[in-house]
């Protein structure tokens, strides 16, 4: 069954505000949710960054939605601690929680003061972390010495059904790699040809038949101009290639890079329109590509209008092939 969810962007709103939005989203007809997991926002204009794991417990209790989070175990988070956090949520809210893992961004991970590894080393560290997390979910006592160290760790509270562990990938190279070990793919909307390459690479790498989730970046407001200006204000620092986004250190650097971006560049990476029908058509294309869940992130700040209008006009218009 296709799921359409609401994305809770902790970088843009206070956690208390996001809790009201996710409840409103359920009332409007959204049946899933997802959460970012940052220490810093992308931009000082966004200006927030709540702790996702505290919020997830509240959101799961306050709704009946399924939820996911994107996490980067290995540096800021020890994988054994993340395994415990995820197991606890999955035990309290059976089969409603999933997690996607990626190699992280310097923006968040540098706070530990540790060296920021190369991409190859980050991949290797993530592979170790995934093995550790899965072993702990199985009830094994884990000791491991590598890029991550674990000594005699065992989870005593575990869910009857372990959470799905997705691989987060933006590029086709990473998507092909995660296809071999992840339970599914989580990626983001981007130009159609690039997204098709990501999907094809995931399937080629071992992901054939596995679920695929897509975070859709859009901007919906009362007018096209308001939608475009809202996207430009909030999201122009986020449209650069992934290899650049993972290496910048502080929100100020994202803001400086964003000064070089014009409105036309934002249009390429964000679906911008005040027409619900146009948004429904864009989303239908992703359903037709085979995605099992679409999580909608309205990148501007007009979320009450977005939730209500999409619940009334967009969600009912999406057809499952």
């Amino acid at each position: 069954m296709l799921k359409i969810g609401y994305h809770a962007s902790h970088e843009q709103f206070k956690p208390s505000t996001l809790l009201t939005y996710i409840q409103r989203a359920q009332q409007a007809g959204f049946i899933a949710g997802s959460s970012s997991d940052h220490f810093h926002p992308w931009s000082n204009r966004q200006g927030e960054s709540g702790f996702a794991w505290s919020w997830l417990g509240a959101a799961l209790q306050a709704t009946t939605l399924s939820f996911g989070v994107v996490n980067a175990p290995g540096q800021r988070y020890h994988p054994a601690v993340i395994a415990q956090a995820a197991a606890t949520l999955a035990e309290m809210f059976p089969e409603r929680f999933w997690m996607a893992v990626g190699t992280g961004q310097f923006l968040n991970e540098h706070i530990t003061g540790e060296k920021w590894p190369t991409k190859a080393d980050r991949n290797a560290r993530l592979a170790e972390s995934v093995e550790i997390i899965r072993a702990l979910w199985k009830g094994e006592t884990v000791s491991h010495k590598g890029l991550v160290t674990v000594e005699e760790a065992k989870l005593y509270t575990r869910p009857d059904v372990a959470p799905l562990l997705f691989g987060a990938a933006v590029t086709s190279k990473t998507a092909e790699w995660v296809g071999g070990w992840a339970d599914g793919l989580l990626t983001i909307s981007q130009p159609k040809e690039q997204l098709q390459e990501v999907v094809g690479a995931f399937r080629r790498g071992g992901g054939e038949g596995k679920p695929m989730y897509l975070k859709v970046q859009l901007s919906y407001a009362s007018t096209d101009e308001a939608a475009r200006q809202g996207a430009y204000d909030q999201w122009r620092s986020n449209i650069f290639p992934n290899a650049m986004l993972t290496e910048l250190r502080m929100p100020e650097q994202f803001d400086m890079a964003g000064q070089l971006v014009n409105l036309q560049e934002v249009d390429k990476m964000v679906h911008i329109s005040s027409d619900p029908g146009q948004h429904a058509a864009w989303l239908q294309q992703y359903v037709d590509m085979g995605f099992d869940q679409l999580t909608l992130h309205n990148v501007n700040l007009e979320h009450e209008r977005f939730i209500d209008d999409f619940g009334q006009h967009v969600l009912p218009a999406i057809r499952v092939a």
Side-chain angles (χ1 to χ4, degrees), residues 15 66 68 74 79 103 132 143 168 176 201 223 230 241 260-261 266 319-320:
S66 61
T103 57
I132 290 163
S143 293
E176 184 170 3
T223 67
L260 306 176
V261 176
V266 178
R319 304 179 308 279
V320 180

Side-chain angles (χ1 to χ4, degrees), residues 3 67-71 73 97-103 126 130 133-134 137 162-169 177-179 181-187 202 210-214 291-293:
K3 291 185 176 182
F67 273 89
V69 66
V70 185
N71 181 262
F97 175 75
W98 56 270
M99 183 172 71
V101 291
T103 57
L126 179 59
V130 168
I133 290 169
R134 283 183 165 152
W137 285 348
L164 289 176
L165 193 62
F166 284 67
W177 174 60
V178 304
W181 56 261
D183 294 327
L185 171 70
L186 175 69
T187 189
F202 175 70
K210 295 179 180 179
M212 299 189 302
Y213 289 5
L214 182 71
F291 284 98
D292 302 279
Q293 177 166 312

Side-chain angles (χ1 to χ4, degrees), residues 24-275:
R24 189 177 186 127
Q26 177 172 292
Q27 293 169 357
F30 289 82
I31 61 173
S34 74
S35 170
S36 56
D37 184 4
H38 274 212
F39 193 87
H40 292 131
W42 301 95
S43 163
N44 284 321
R45 293 186 311 281
Q46 295 170 349
E48 297 289 344
S49 202
F51 185 56
W53 292 88
S54 300
W55 185 85
L56 281 163
L60 282 157
Q61 178 64 29
T63 69
T64 59
L65 305 179
S66 61
F67 273 89
V69 66
V70 185
N71 181 262
Q75 188 160 331
R76 176 169 51 117
Y77 290 117
H78 194 284
V81 175
I82 288 301
Q84 184 185 33
T88 296
L89 288 176
E91 193 283 328
M92 290 194 294
F93 307 102
E95 299 185 65
R96 287 176 54 201
F97 175 75
W98 56 270
M99 183 172 71
V101 291
T103 57
Q105 297 173 321
F106 198 23
L107 173 70
N108 301 302
E109 309 307 316
H110 80 265
I111 64 167
T112 63
E114 298 175 27
K115 176 185 175 183
W116 182 234
T118 64
K119 175 61 173 173
D121 285 345
R122 299 202 303 274
N123 282 354
R125 184 173 67 183
L126 179 59
E128 290 183 19
S129 296
V130 168
E131 290 184 6
I132 290 163
I133 290 169
R134 283 183 165 152
L136 288 168
W137 285 348
K138 292 177 183 176
E140 299 175 14
T141 299
V142 177
S143 293
H144 177 89
K145 292 191 183 298
L147 295 172
V148 177
T149 299
V150 184
E151 290 192 3
E152 298 178 322
K154 181 178 179 178
L155 288 183
Y156 284 82
T157 297
R158 304 187 308 277
D160 292 333
V161 178
L164 289 176
L165 193 62
F166 284 67
V170 176
T171 67
S172 58
K173 182 178 181 180
T174 300
E176 184 170 3
W177 174 60
V178 304
W181 56 261
D183 294 327
L185 171 70
L186 175 69
T187 189
I188 63 171
S189 56
Q190 49 187 311
K192 185 176 181 180
E193 294 75 16
Q194 293 172 230
L195 186 57
Q196 288 175 326
E197 289 178 6
V198 168
V199 169
F202 175 70
R203 290 171 171 163
R204 187 168 61 248
E208 189 69 46
K210 295 179 180 179
M212 299 189 302
Y213 289 5
L214 182 71
K215 176 178 174 282
V216 181
Q217 298 167 162
L218 62 93
S219 186
Y220 173 77
S222 56
T223 67
D224 284 355
E225 183 60 22
R228 182 165 288 106
Q229 289 297 332
Y232 183 72
D233 175 69
Q234 288 289 299
W235 215 247
R236 66 178 181 268
S237 303
N238 300 55
I239 68 169
F240 299 103
N242 195 56
M244 176 179 172
L245 293 177
T246 58
E247 299 299 326
L248 298 181
R249 182 183 183 91
M250 292 297 290
E252 290 82 0
Q253 292 174 317
F254 281 85
D255 283 334
M256 285 187 286
Q259 293 176 5
L260 306 176
V261 176
N262 59 39
L263 287 169
Q264 289 70 36
E265 293 301 314
V266 178
D267 271 328
K268 295 177 183 177
M269 298 301 293
V270 179
H271 291 309
I272 300 173
S273 177
S274 60
D275 178 9

Side-chain angles (χ1 to χ4, degrees), residues 6-22:
Y6 170 86
H7 178 70
S9 178
H10 286 278
E11 302 77 34
Q12 295 174 281
F13 299 99
K14 295 182 183 300
S16 55
T17 301
L18 287 173
L19 195 60
T20 65
Y21 285 166
I22 197 67

